Structure formats: C-alpha cells, structure tokens
Amino acid sequence: MRRGLTGPPPLLGTAEPGTSLLHRATPRTKLLALVVVGTVVGLVRSLATPPTAAAWLAGLLAGCVVLARGCRLRRGLLRGQVRRTAWVLVALAVVQTWLQGPWEAAVVVGGLLACLWSATLVTATTPVPDLLDTVVRALEPLRRVGVDPERAGLAFSLTLTSVPVVGRLLAESREAAAARGLGASPRALLVPTVVRAVAHAEQVGEALAARGLD
C-alpha cells in the first residue's frame, strides 16, 4: 500500500524512510544539489527578465512536486511548507508588487519557495545525523584556519531542529489570536511568537552551557 496518504505533513528536518533514487543518493550529493538550486535561483533572478525568470522558477517548483511524488513522500509535504510560511510569502508578494510590480513579486516568492521546497526534499529523504556527518567532514579542511567542524555541525543541527519549533509556536500563536478575535492582527501573531522563540533559544543555550558547550 502506498505510504503517506494521510496524516499531517512532516516538518523540515524530519526524514521519511523510503527506497527511491533520492533516498539512496548520498547526503553530499543532495547538499551539492541544494547549492546548485540556490545558485540557479540567484542567476535566474540576476540575469533573466522577470517573465523569463518566473518561467524558470515555475519549472523548478514543478520539478520539486514531481520529485516528491516520485519519492512517495507524504501527501501535503510541500503544501504544508507553503501553509506554514504563507504570511511571509504574502508579505513579500505585497511589498514587491508595490515596489517593483507583479512579475518581480512572482520571481522573489518563487525563488524563495523553490529553495524551501528543495531543502524540504533533502531533509525529508536524509536522516539529520547523516547530514551533520557530511557537514562536519566537509568542514574538516578548514580546521587549520580556526573553524571548528563539530561546532558548525551543532549549529546546523540546532537550525534544523528549531524550524519545526518556530512553526509550532507560530501555529499556536495564530490559534490564540483567532480565539481572541484578533486573527487579522500581525501584532497578535508575531509578538507572542517572537517572545516564545527567544525564550526557547535561551533555554537551549542554558542546556548547552550546562553540558559544557558555550
């Protein structure tokens, strides 16, 4: 029976088991592909006209959808990322439309979404420990110039694990604002989220310090 037809979409940083080609690819290959996607997005935005750039980015987004289906990932994986970041995407679209027009807004939002979806596919098909090991090994040559690969790997791990935490805090703040009849108020959504996110960061810092990690 096909997996992933029901249930909530996983958050960024949560790997799903599978045997697809993307699952079997090495973490190094997937991280390099992620770098390539980011580079392509940057080049397209810089060199192409907005309508052409929008077409390229639409192709990237379509490719992400095809990969998600081909890897038999949980239904709603990519749509869930759009839902969690909808307020950011809408705000960007409004500002860019006002400043530079709708085509530029489509390019900015499409580029951000292409990078987000690509990162989601990588983390959904690769266990976090494997990604961390790859990052630490890749940074090992920089140890001679003062870079601590283990510390960098820890920072990468904290970044990945913080994404779902912030998403949960944002969802809880949205529900609380809606219960008070303030669902349309950005302040009622953002202020509690920021305060609780800072408190979470302080708790993590204290836990790391207690373990001898400054």
Side-chain angles (χ1 to χ4, degrees):
M1 182 174 65
R2 180 173 177 172
R3 324 175 39 254
L5 293 183
T6 59
L11 294 158
L12 184 65
T14 305
E16 297 184 37
T19 59
S20 69
L21 183 62
L22 191 57
H23 280 94
R24 297 197 303 271
T26 64
R28 179 182 179 183
T29 299
K30 285 183 272 193
L31 288 176
L32 288 175
L34 193 57
V35 172
V36 170
V37 169
T39 303
V40 168
V41 169
L43 290 175
V44 165
R45 288 188 56 189
S46 301
L47 302 178
T49 62
T52 302
W56 274 88
L57 294 173
L60 279 176
L61 294 174
C64 290
V65 173
V66 170
L67 276 175
R69 290 186 177 274
C71 295
R72 303 175 70 86
L73 297 175
R74 187 185 297 256
R75 181 175 295 177
L77 171 67
L78 301 182
R79 187 171 59 250
Q81 300 303 329
V82 175
R83 187 166 57 249
R84 293 186 186 94
T85 58
W87 62 280
V88 176
L89 299 176
V90 171
L92 279 175
V94 170
V95 171
Q96 290 297 323
T97 300
W98 180 48
L99 294 177
Q100 298 185 350
W103 278 114
E104 186 63 28
V107 170
V108 171
V109 173
L112 178 61
L113 198 54
C115 293
L116 176 62
W117 279 6
S118 299
T120 300
L121 290 176
V122 170
T123 56
T125 57
T126 315
V128 171
D130 293 348
L131 287 175
L132 297 181
D133 289 343
T134 301
V135 171
V136 171
R137 286 197 300 269
L139 294 177
E140 191 63 37
L142 299 179
R143 188 185 293 274
R144 67 188 65 178
V145 296
V147 175
D148 187 340
E150 288 76 16
R151 187 179 295 272
L154 175 62
F156 184 73
S157 174
L158 291 174
T159 300
L160 285 180
T161 54
S162 295
V163 170
V165 172
V166 175
R168 175 178 57 79
L169 295 178
L170 187 61
E172 292 176 355
S173 297
R174 184 184 298 112
E175 292 175 359
R180 299 195 304 270
L182 301 173
S185 172
R187 178 180 299 179
L189 173 65
L190 296 180
V191 171
T193 302
V194 171
V195 170
R196 296 180 65 192
V198 171
H200 171 75
E202 291 178 345
Q203 291 173 359
V204 172
E206 291 172 358
L208 293 174
R211 290 164 175 79
L213 298 171
D214 56 1

